Amino acid sequence: QSALTQPPSASGSPGQSVTISCTGTSSDVGGYNYVSWYQQHPGKAPKLMIYEVSKRPSGVPDRFSGSKSGNTASLTVSGLQAEDEADYYCSSYAGSSYVFGTGTKVTVL
Amino acid sequence: QLQLQESGPGLVKPSETLSLTCTVSGGSISSSSYYWGWIRQPPGKGLEWIGSIYYSGSTYYNPSLKSRVTISVDTSKNQFSLKLSSVTAADTAVYYCARGARGYAFDIWGQGTMVTVSS
């Protein structure tokens, strides 16, 4: 059970969009529509931003969107704001287990 | 509103057993709509799922930790617990408890507790 692969970093200016990829295998990302995304600010607990590939929990801005194609899922943050600067982790159900991504640090320039 | 709070020793000696408890407040741990999990994060590193327990008592563990992990639930106290045996320095991490909900996602997290393995 290997960690899902994410780019270490991504950045964008305020108002721009940034997209983070999350690559797994047919045993996790590609096999289930159960990809979720978490935002984590320094010293804080992760916060659920996206579940079931593209659904947003109540209270999460619609600037956050998710998608999936094959073994790769993506998170897009549109209209970047200063408070979006954080670490982002994807996660996938893998049949009675879970696997997290390696994490991506998003910087707002 | 539902809240989770981890508790337990912040320092554990190598080869001993790490024991943590997660207290659930503002809701029942016995709801069939949810399950409960433990996730950890070594300093400066990413998240790692440790295991989950369902209202039925069924447990699922990370294969890499399965031989050392036990997760249990105490419905009378609205708590669930983690035991990790034979710890080493590699088990030093912030340990989070979380609620699992629809879509196999963890929607509510505790604040986390730092556990250091050192003699």
Side-chain angles (χ1 to χ4, degrees):
Chain A
Q1 189 181 34
S2 299
L4 307 176
T5 301
Q6 298 180 232
S9 63
S11 62
S13 299
Q16 291 186 331
S17 296
V18 65
T19 297
I20 304 166
S21 62
C22 169
T23 302
T25 69
S26 58
S27 296
D28 38 62
V29 175
Y32 306 92
N33 287 322
Y34 294 128
V35 176
S36 51
W37 289 90
Y38 301 88
Q39 177 192 65
Q40 186 179 36
H41 287 109
K44 300 295 186 181
K47 174 186 176 183
L48 179 65
M49 305 301 283
I50 295 286
Y51 67 99
E52 290 182 9
V53 177
S54 61
K55 297 179 180 179
R56 284 187 309 277
S58 175
V60 173
D62 59 7
R63 302 185 292 102
F64 291 85
S65 62
S67 62
K68 191 188 86 167
S69 178
N71 295 338
T72 299
S74 298
L75 173 73
T76 298
V77 185
S78 304
L80 267 174
Q81 298 183 5
E83 58 261 36
D84 299 333
E85 184 161 296
D87 293 327
Y88 291 82
Y89 293 91
C90 61
S91 178
S92 176
Y93 179 68
S96 299
S97 68
Y98 295 80
V99 60
F100 281 95
T102 50
T104 298
K105 180 175 181 57
V106 170
T107 300
V108 181
L109 302 172
Chain B
Q1 104 199 27
L2 194 87
Q3 293 185 320
L4 285 71
Q5 178 68 58
E6 306 89 350
S7 60
L11 181 64
V12 182
K13 290 182 168 55
S15 80
E16 295 189 343
T17 296
L18 179 160
S19 295
L20 295 175
T21 296
C22 182
T23 300
V24 180
S25 59
S28 173
I29 200 171
S30 301
S31 171
S32 61
S33 300
Y34 305 106
Y35 56 97
W36 311 92
W38 288 97
I39 299 101
R40 70 180 182 179
Q41 184 172 35
K45 296 187 178 181
L47 301 168
E48 180 181 33
W49 174 72
I50 300 171
S52 297
I53 187 165
Y54 288 71
Y55 77 97
S56 62
S58 298
T59 51
Y60 299 90
Y61 301 133
N62 186 321
S64 67
L65 300 171
K66 187 175 183 177
S67 63
R68 300 194 291 129
V69 174
T70 301
I71 295 176
S72 59
V73 64
D74 186 337
T75 55
S76 67
K77 295 182 178 179
N78 230 31
Q79 297 175 333
F80 63 104
S81 299
L82 168 70
K83 291 188 185 299
L84 181 65
S85 64
S86 305
V87 297
T88 69
D91 296 309
T92 293
V94 175
Y95 285 76
Y96 295 100
C97 60
R99 184 181 80 170
R102 61 177 299 182
Y104 293 100
F106 294 102
D107 65 343
I108 298 176
W109 295 61
Q111 65 183 27
T113 187
M114 179 69 197
V115 178
T116 301
V117 178
S118 175
S119 55

